[in-house]
Amino acid sequence: MNRVLHPFAQTRTLSAWPYAVATLAIFGVALWLVATVPVDDADGLRRAMRGGALCALATALGAMPVWVVKHLHQRLADGLLGFGAGVMLAATAFSLVLPGLDAAGRAGYSAWGAAGLVSAGVLLGAFALLALDRGVVDDPRDANRDLVPSRVVLFVLAIVLHNVPEGMAVGVAAGGGLRGAEGLAMGISLQDIPEGLVVALILASAGMARSKAVFIGALSGVAEPVAALLSAWAVAVSSLLLPWGLAFAAGAMLIAVSHSVIPESNRHGNGATASLGLAVGFCLMMALDTALG
């Protein structure tokens, strides 16, 4: 009788050590960057690197429990996704849109002009992420349901793509010298922990070797320091780009939350848990922005 092998069955024969070492390397480099760059560093690029590295560190930290955890209760997973959505929504409002309006006002725009500029930036960011998202995978939620080898790359690319707005937000805030940049990086890193966990669990539950799933989960967070550095550099080139950069990041993050995170958190019938998690995440990020901003 012919056996039907699981799509990822062959990955189990590969040594787990290379993936474990690579995961620890990502974690170690990110930890080193966070530890060596001072919190109050005046250099925008270095601050952006520290903030992005903090996010990558949190993502790797979240993925690591999958080495030993085989399953996560679906209600808890949906609550964690809702928590991440709440953090991102609060970051969009308090750490991106409001500072963007303030930056536009300092640049000489009237109240209506500042609102128009920020609205245009938000829409540009939203359209950009929707266009990129459509180019990677039509519906990331469908890709999560039945991952086969030919769709793993698309799924991972979709996750990396949705990490880019977070890195952009950290980079623009740090590069623009905003007071709340540290709180923004801390809030996003908090929601990156459950995000890394959920991504690694999805891959592992699809049959991928757990060490490889953890590695890919950790690797997805590397997009954030890269996006943070590029965004900080762009803002450093011209201060006129600051309100545009903040608004663009806000629009991209808003679409990432509404188009992917919230629908996924409600897909399994745990909408109340996910909504409660969203409220908790929103309040926590609001508190961080107030206390550290």
Side-chain angles (χ1 to χ4, degrees):
M1 181 181 295
N2 293 329
R3 291 190 305 164
V4 178
L5 295 178
H6 194 281
F8 290 123
Q10 60 183 346
T11 64
R12 298 182 186 279
T13 63
L14 299 177
S15 173
W17 285 108
Y19 296 114
V21 171
T23 300
L24 291 174
I26 293 173
F27 182 86
V29 170
L31 180 61
W32 178 77
L33 288 171
V34 171
T36 55
V37 178
V39 175
D40 57 351
D41 197 305
D43 190 306
L45 289 178
R46 285 170 58 86
R47 292 178 65 197
M49 173 56 76
R50 185 185 189 279
L54 183 63
C55 296
L57 177 67
T59 304
L61 186 64
M64 284 180 180
V66 178
W67 273 328
V68 294
V69 176
K70 294 183 179 180
H71 301 288
L72 187 67
H73 194 281
Q74 191 60 56
R75 186 180 296 275
L76 176 58
D78 291 339
L80 291 174
L81 283 174
F83 172 84
V87 170
M88 294 172 73
L89 283 176
T92 299
F94 298 108
S95 300
L96 296 174
V97 171
L98 291 180
L101 290 169
D102 183 62
R106 293 199 308 270
Y109 287 88
S110 65
W112 282 104
L117 185 154
V118 171
S119 296
V122 167
L123 291 175
L124 282 174
F127 282 127
L129 193 70
L130 281 174
L132 289 172
D133 188 64
R134 184 173 296 276
V136 172
V137 57
D138 290 337
D139 189 349
R141 291 172 293 151
D142 289 338
N144 291 354
R145 289 174 188 161
D146 186 20
L147 289 176
V148 296
S150 61
R151 303 195 72 177
V152 172
V153 174
L154 292 179
F155 172 69
V156 173
L157 285 176
I159 295 300
V160 170
L161 176 63
H162 295 143
N163 282 341
V164 170
E166 300 170 15
M168 288 176 56
V170 171
V172 171
L178 299 186
R179 291 173 51 201
E182 182 66 20
L184 175 62
M186 186 177 297
I188 289 179
S189 66
L190 282 176
Q191 69 89 29
D192 277 335
I193 295 176
E195 182 178 277
L197 174 63
V198 170
V199 169
L201 277 174
I202 288 173
L203 293 172
S205 64
M208 182 178 287
R210 278 190 280 174
S211 289
K212 187 174 182 180
V214 171
F215 166 68
I216 292 178
L219 187 63
S220 68
V222 176
E224 297 190 47
V226 174
L229 270 178
L230 291 175
S231 301
W233 172 80
V235 171
V237 170
S238 173
S239 60
L240 295 177
L241 293 177
L242 178 58
W244 284 103
L246 289 167
F248 187 93
M253 190 176 293
L254 191 62
I255 291 300
V257 173
S258 63
H259 189 60
S260 297
V261 182
I262 291 179
E264 177 63 23
S265 68
N266 284 267
R267 185 164 64 87
H268 301 94
N270 297 315
T273 302
S275 297
L276 181 60
L278 185 148
V280 172
F282 187 95
C283 292
L284 178 60
M285 184 63 214
M286 179 180 64
L288 286 173
D289 187 82
T290 303
L292 300 178

